[in-house]
Amino acid sequence: MSEAVSHEDHHDDHDHKPTGIKRWLFSTNHKDIGTMYLVFALIMFFVGGAMAMVIRAELFQPGLQYVDPQFFNSMTTVHALVMIFGALMPAGVGLANWMIPMMIGAPDMAMPRMNNMSFWILPFAATLLIATFFMEGGAPAGGWTMYPPLVLQTGDAFPFLIFAVHFLGISSIMGAINIIATVFNMRAPGMTFMKLPLFVWTWIITAFLLIASMPVLAGAVTMLLTDKFFGTAFFNAAGGGDPVLFQHVFWFFGHPEVYILVLPSFGIISQIIPTFARKPLFGYESMVYATASIAFLSFFVWAHHMFTVGMPLTGELFFMYATMSIAVPTGVKIFNWTATMWKGSMTFETPMLFAIGVLFMFSIGGFSGLMMGITPVDFQYHDTYFIVAHFHYVIVPGIIYGVIGGVYFWLPKWTGNMYDEKLGKLHFWISTISVNVLFFPQHFLGLAGMPRRIPDYNIQFAEWNMISSIGGFVFGLSQLILVWVVIKCVRGGEKATDQVWEGAQGLEWTLSSPPPFHSFTVPPQVTDASAHS
Amino acid sequence: MFGFGYALVPLYDVFCEVTGINGKTGTISKEDAEQMLVDDNRVVTVLFDTNMREIPWEFTAVERTVSVHPGQLGEATFVIKNTSDREIVGQAVPSIAPTQASIYFNKTECFCFTQQTLAAGETREMKVRFIVDSKMPARFSALTLSYTFFALPDANSVVKVAEQSERIKI
C-alpha cells in the first residue's frame, strides 16, 4: 500500500515522538495530554482530599483540637477550590481529550498546541493557589465563593487567589474551545450530530457552558481585585457599590458551573450503562435535548443560592419555579438510564457498579436539592450542614463516581491491559459504604441546625460528626485502592481485546488496545449500525 | 461574557432603582416635591438610625423620629463630630427599611449626596429634607431611615491596609 511506499520515500512520523520529559512538556498528542490531565486531577484529588481529612479530623469531636479557626477556614476554602478547579474540571477535560477524538473518528484534537498550553497552565495556577498557605496572613479563608467584604480581608494571598482563578478559568476556556472545534470540524464521514456518542454531546454542551460562564467569574474576581487595590467600589457600600451584587455575578457563573461539573459525568454513565445492559441507550434524542435544556435553564436559577439575602417575593418565586423546572429534564435522564437497564442482560463489572452508584446517589443529592429549591424551607437549610450534605452527594457519588467509572471503563482501552476486577469491586464497595457514612449523617446535622464552615460545634452534634468523620477517613483511604489498581493495570495484566467489553459499541472500541499514537489516521466510515451505543 | 460580567453592574443598579429592592433611597427635585399631593388622612413615622464603620466620628440624629403626612416635606437634623486628631473624609450611605417602601421615599436634600470632610475636632449639623410619596400603600406606617458613615480612603489608607494585614495575622 501507499503507506509502505512512503516508508521508503521519507521519514515516517507515525509513532514518532520526543522521549523523556520533552514528550510531556511539548506534547501535542491528545492521549498524552489527556493522561497528564488525569494524573494532575488525581494529584489534586488527593491534595484536596488531604484538606478534607483535616476538616473531618477537626470536626471529629467538639472543641478545637488540631487547627486554629483561621486555618480551618482556609481548609474549607482551598479544599473547594482545589477540588472544583484542580480535580473535577481537569478530570473531565482529560477524559474528553482521551476519548473525543477516538469517539468521533479523528486523528487528534483540532488545536494540539493550544491543548498543550491549556494543560500546562494548570500546574502553575495550582501552585499559585497552594503557595498561599505560606504567605503572610495565610491562605484564603473567606469561603470558595469569595464573598466580599469578607474575602477582602485576605492577606497577601488575595492577588494570588484572584490570579489562580483567572488562570484556571483561562485553561478551561481553552480546553472548551478545543473540544468545540474538534467536534464541529473533525467528525468522521457519516458521523452526524445525532450519531455522536452521548459523552461527546454532554461535552459539547459543557464546553459552551464554560465559554459562557467562566468569563463572568473572571469579571467578578477582577472587580474584587480592583476594589481591593485600585479604589473602585463595585462591592463597597461606601463608594455606592453593593456586596450583594457580587453574589449575583458570582452565582451567574456558579450555577452553570455546577452543570459544567456534572454533565460530563452524565455523559460517561450514558456510555457505561448501555454497554453493561447490552442494550442501546433508551431515548437517545431525549437525552440530548434534556442535556441542552439543563444547560439552558442553568442560567436562570442562580439566585436560589441566595434566597436569604432579602429578595422581593416575586424574585424568590421566580427562582424557585425555575429551579424546580430543572428537575424535569434531569428526571428524563434518570428515567432513560433506568429504562436502558430495564430487561437488559446486565452484568456488574466495576464501571457499571460506579454508574449505578451515580444513578442512585446523584438522585439523593438531586432530591435534597429540590428541598432547598423551595424558598420557604431554604431559610432553615441555608448555610447548614444540609447544604454540605446536598452538594457533596451530587459531587462525590455523582461526579467523582462518574469519572472513576469512566476510568475503569476505558482503562483497558488506554493501557491494553485489564485492571484487577476484584480490587475494582472492593474499591467500589468500600467507597460506597463509607461515602454514605460520611455524608448521610450531615443531613441530620444540618436539619438540627449545625452551621457549615465552623471548626467547633455544640455538644448535641457530637455523635453524627464522629460517625461522619469515620466515614470520611475510610473514604479517603479507600481511594488509594484506585491508585493501586491504575498502577497495576499500567504495569501489566491480562491483555484486553480491542472491544474490551462484550456490549461495547462505538468507534473507540474498533481501535487496538492500547490505541495507536494518532487515533484515526484514515477516517472511518460511520454507518447507522456502527453509531452510538 | 467578560464584558457581560461588568455590564451586570449598571444593570443591577438600574434594576434595583426601578424595583427598589436593595433599600436605597431615591432623590426628587424640590419643585416636584412641592407639587406632590398631600394625604392628610394618614401619618407616617420615620425613625432615624445612625451607624459608623471604621471612622472615628460621632454621628447622631437630633430627633429620634419625625411624623409626616405622605406628600408633605419632612426635615431632620443630624450631627457629626470628628473625634480624631486628623482630617477625615466620610461618605454616608442611606437605606430604608422595610426595603419594599424604599421606592416611595425620596429626598430633596441630604448630606449623603456629597462627601463630608471634617477637620480634627470639627462638628457639623446637617439637614435632610425628605418626602414620602402619597402613593405609598397604607400597610407601611413606619419607616426606618438608616445612615452608615464610611471613611473614604485617602493618604492614610496605606497605613490602614498595613494595620489590617497585621490584625489578621495568625
Side-chain angles (χ1 to χ4, degrees):
Chain A
M1 252 190 73
S2 63
E3 210 178 90
V5 177
S6 68
H7 249 288
E8 291 148 15
D9 282 357
H10 48 81
H11 183 67
D12 177 35
D13 64 350
H14 186 63
D15 251 13
H16 175 79
K17 58 194 177 219
T19 48
I21 187 79
K22 277 188 181 169
R23 169 177 172 186
W24 305 102
L25 270 181
F26 305 134
S27 179
T28 51
N29 179 273
H30 75 98
K31 299 190 183 73
D32 283 356
I33 294 172
T35 304
M36 289 195 289
Y37 263 113
L38 288 169
V39 171
F40 175 80
L42 189 65
I43 294 169
M44 286 296 124
F45 180 53
F46 280 97
V47 170
M51 293 174 193
M53 294 298 104
V54 174
I55 295 168
R56 283 320 317 172
E58 180 58 52
L59 294 174
F60 191 71
Q61 284 183 317
L64 297 174
Q65 279 95 27
Y66 305 108
V67 292
D68 64 83
Q70 169 84 11
F71 188 76
F72 181 89
N73 290 342
S74 293
M75 284 287 122
T76 56
T77 304
V78 185
H79 161 75
L81 289 167
V82 163
M83 285 300 198
I84 292 167
F85 293 102
L88 298 176
M89 289 167 71
V93 181
L95 290 172
N97 249 302
W98 249 104
M99 299 317 298
I100 285 177
M102 284 161 60
M103 284 175 155
I104 64 171
D108 206 302
M109 295 295 277
M111 292 180 265
R113 284 198 171 75
M114 191 167 80
N115 207 6
N116 175 293
M117 198 158 120
S118 74
F119 170 75
W120 279 109
I121 286 175
L122 285 177
F124 292 98
T127 310
L128 279 184
L129 185 60
I130 293 166
T132 56
F133 278 103
F134 307 102
M135 287 172 190
E136 194 83 347
W144 82 278
T145 51
M146 298 176 278
Y147 283 0
L150 184 60
V151 76
L152 299 174
Q153 293 179 11
T154 309
D156 293 352
F158 184 73
F160 288 82
L161 167 70
I162 302 297
F163 290 130
V165 171
H166 275 149
F167 280 125
L168 293 162
I170 290 168
S171 162
S172 55
I173 287 170
M174 291 203 291
I177 291 170
N178 211 345
I179 285 163
I180 290 174
T182 307
V183 177
F184 276 62
N185 298 309
M186 298 182 68
R187 282 167 291 125
M191 178 61 90
T192 57
F193 271 94
M194 280 323 231
K195 284 200 189 109
L196 288 175
L198 217 76
F199 177 69
V200 180
W201 254 118
T202 53
W203 245 113
I204 307 175
I205 293 165
T206 305
F208 277 105
L209 280 179
L210 271 169
I211 291 173
S213 72
M214 288 304 296
V216 179
L217 174 70
V221 297
T222 309
M223 288 184 234
L224 284 178
L225 190 75
T226 55
D227 264 16
K228 169 116 175 161
F229 294 109
F230 302 104
T232 59
F234 291 107
F235 311 124
N236 180 359
D242 191 337
V244 175
L245 170 63
F246 178 84
Q247 301 188 21
H248 283 287
V249 183
F250 180 86
W251 287 113
F252 188 83
F253 143 80
H255 201 79
E257 169 70 16
V258 173
Y259 294 100
I260 289 169
L261 298 175
V262 82
L263 290 182
S265 166
F266 284 176
I268 294 163
I269 72 164
S270 302
Q271 303 298 128
I272 295 176
I273 290 177
T275 304
F276 295 99
R278 291 168 180 77
K279 272 178 66 193
L281 185 69
F282 183 88
Y284 172 88
E285 284 84 0
S286 66
M287 254 352 198
V288 174
Y289 296 133
T291 312
S293 324
I294 291 174
F296 177 74
L297 288 171
S298 73
F299 284 102
F300 303 97
V301 299
W302 75 88
H304 69 212
H305 296 268
M306 37 191 290
F307 277 145
T308 57
V309 294
M311 269 191 288
L313 185 64
T314 40
E316 307 220 313
L317 285 174
F318 171 81
F319 286 108
M320 175 169 93
Y321 291 128
T323 304
M324 296 287 147
S325 71
I326 291 196
V328 177
T330 312
V332 168
K333 294 183 81 78
I334 303 274
F335 176 84
N336 284 349
W337 289 319
T338 315
T340 306
M341 291 192 283
W342 176 253
K343 288 188 175 174
S345 316
M346 288 206 285
T347 50
F348 298 93
E349 285 87 346
T350 312
M352 184 63 164
L353 290 176
F354 275 99
I356 295 172
V358 172
L359 200 51
F360 268 84
M361 288 180 280
F362 181 83
S363 300
I364 295 177
F367 280 127
S368 60
L370 277 177
M371 289 170 74
M372 280 176 300
I374 302 168
T375 309
V377 293
D378 180 67
F379 278 74
Q380 185 195 348
Y381 306 149
H382 188 88
D383 267 352
T384 66
Y385 259 78
F386 193 81
I387 180 76
V388 176
H390 157 71
F391 67 69
H392 280 99
Y393 256 97
V394 292
I395 289 175
V396 181
I399 301 167
I400 295 179
Y401 266 39
V403 171
I404 293 176
V407 168
Y408 278 113
F409 187 48
W410 288 310
L411 202 55
K413 172 55 68 186
W414 297 338
T415 61
N417 306 319
M418 290 305 286
Y419 61 85
D420 189 328
E421 188 65 50
K422 227 179 228 161
L423 280 177
K425 285 194 167 127
L426 185 75
H427 175 214
F428 172 78
W429 285 111
I430 297 182
S431 294
T432 302
I433 293 166
S434 59
V435 84
N436 284 293
V437 174
L438 165 57
F439 293 121
F440 211 83
Q442 296 184 359
H443 290 115
F444 311 143
L445 290 169
L447 291 178
M450 178 169 162
R452 64 190 286 209
R453 291 169 172 165
I454 301 285
D456 188 8
Y457 51 83
N458 192 301
I459 196 92
Q460 63 165 321
F461 304 125
E463 277 163 356
W464 285 124
N465 265 304
M466 186 177 282
I467 291 167
S468 176
S469 286
I470 292 168
F473 301 141
V474 176
F475 182 78
L477 287 173
S478 67
Q479 301 320 303
L480 295 172
I481 303 174
L482 172 69
V483 179
W484 175 234
V485 172
V486 172
I487 292 173
K488 206 175 155 194
C489 182
V490 170
R491 290 169 61 151
E494 189 196 329
K495 291 289 160 232
T497 60
D498 289 356
Q499 201 192 2
V500 182
W501 311 106
E502 189 194 28
Q505 272 171 19
L507 289 177
E508 74 268 35
W509 308 109
T510 63
L511 288 167
S512 61
S513 302
F517 198 58
H518 301 289
S519 301
F520 286 96
T521 41
V522 178
Q525 184 65 44
V526 179
T527 58
D528 282 342
S530 63
H532 58 78
S533 47
Chain B
M1 292 305 283
F2 186 77
F4 179 73
Y6 276 84
L8 284 173
V9 178
L11 276 175
Y12 178 79
D13 285 344
V14 170
F15 188 77
C16 288
E17 203 179 306
V18 172
T19 56
I21 52 177
N22 64 351
K24 285 184 181 170
T25 55
T27 55
I28 187 170
S29 73
K30 214 173 161 198
E31 292 73 36
D32 286 348
E34 278 160 358
Q35 282 166 10
M36 197 173 277
L37 222 61
V38 180
D39 183 356
D40 289 326
N41 296 324
R42 58 192 173 116
V43 172
V44 175
T45 309
V46 182
L47 299 88
F48 302 108
D49 173 46
T50 57
N51 305 283
M52 282 149 293
R53 178 113 176 90
E54 288 177 1
I55 189 167
W57 286 5
E58 277 169 14
F59 176 34
T60 47
V62 175
E63 305 91 353
R64 294 292 297 275
T65 64
V66 166
S67 293
V68 287
H69 295 297
Q72 178 197 359
L73 208 57
E75 190 182 286
T77 313
F78 292 80
V79 180
I80 45 175
K81 183 181 181 201
N82 184 351
T83 55
S84 76
D85 53 2
R86 59 195 160 98
E87 187 186 89
I88 290 174
V89 186
Q91 169 72 53
V93 176
S95 76
I96 281 283
T99 53
Q100 291 94 328
S102 63
I103 42 172
Y104 304 107
F105 189 91
N106 292 300
K107 287 173 290 185
T108 61
E109 188 186 329
C110 179
F111 56 87
C112 60
F113 292 170
T114 53
Q115 299 174 355
Q116 303 292 329
T117 309
L118 285 191
E122 188 185 347
T123 305
R124 184 175 300 159
E125 255 190 28
M126 304 170 302
K127 294 273 184 218
V128 173
R129 289 196 175 80
F130 59 87
I131 185 159
V132 177
D133 201 310
S134 43
K135 290 197 284 290
M136 186 172 77
R139 64 192 161 102
F140 300 112
S141 58
L143 306 176
T144 303
L145 173 60
S146 171
Y147 284 103
T148 304
F149 251 108
F150 291 86
L152 285 189
D154 53 0
N156 301 322
S157 65
V158 182
V159 182
K160 228 182 90 192
V161 170
E163 279 168 8
Q164 201 178 37
S165 45
E166 192 66 27
R167 207 178 63 231
I168 61 167
K169 204 190 283 179
I170 50 169

